[in-house]
Amino acid sequence: MDHGRRPRGGLEQQVLAALAGAPGPLTPGQVRDRLDGDLAYTTVMTVLARLAAKGVLTRIRAGRAYTYRLIGDEAELTARRMRRLLDVGGDRTAVLTRFVDALSPDDERLLVELLTAAESADEQPR
């Protein structure tokens, strides 16, 4: 086993963390400088391109190059990941049932409150 390898998705998570901690958009070189290890520039560019294709990052033209920034905050990114996982799962009812069954009582109460508030908002005249 190669102990130098990152866990699956580990580099993406590191790139997201680097962008989340930045005051503004970053170039691939700036992202690379914020990461641990000696990654190839092309590796960082590939990860950034994949994250942009997934809709997690936005790519902004800056002269002849591009800069990248997160779309939304950490909560929005987590919600997008959850939605993507739900979309690729087979039986939505089974997946959601297992998710709810695994919630703590506090999280379950919060979910009920959020669903009730969303339902009330939907019933308001526009």
Side-chain angles (χ1 to χ4, degrees):
M1 181 175 166
D2 182 5
H3 294 289
R5 296 196 53 96
R6 287 178 179 79
R8 183 178 166 102
L11 183 53
E12 283 188 0
Q13 292 304 316
Q14 288 179 351
V15 167
L16 291 172
L19 288 164
L26 297 177
T27 65
Q30 291 169 322
V31 172
R32 181 178 176 248
D33 292 344
R34 288 171 172 256
L35 300 175
D36 294 333
D38 56 351
L39 293 169
Y41 181 85
T42 54
T43 300
V44 175
M45 281 183 52
T46 299
V47 171
L48 289 167
R50 285 181 182 161
L51 289 169
K54 290 179 181 180
V56 177
L57 304 178
T58 187
R59 188 168 81 160
I60 305 153
R61 188 70 136 155
R64 292 179 10 187
Y66 288 97
T67 59
Y68 296 82
R69 71 173 175 80
L70 290 175
I71 295 175
D73 59 13
E74 189 173 335
E76 182 177 343
L77 290 174
T78 301
R80 284 175 184 237
R81 279 190 221 113
M82 291 169 65
R83 222 172 304 129
R84 240 187 352 262
L85 289 171
L86 185 59
D87 288 344
V88 298
D91 182 350
R92 290 178 87 83
T93 301
V95 171
L96 287 170
T97 299
R98 291 211 170 101
F99 176 75
V100 170
D101 287 347
L103 292 175
S104 71
D106 288 341
D107 286 342
E108 192 172 334
R109 267 190 300 281
L110 177 58
L111 183 58
V112 168
E113 289 172 15
L114 292 170
L115 290 171
T116 301
E119 190 174 278
S120 295
D122 287 344
E123 293 173 359
Q124 296 296 320
R126 293 177 190 216

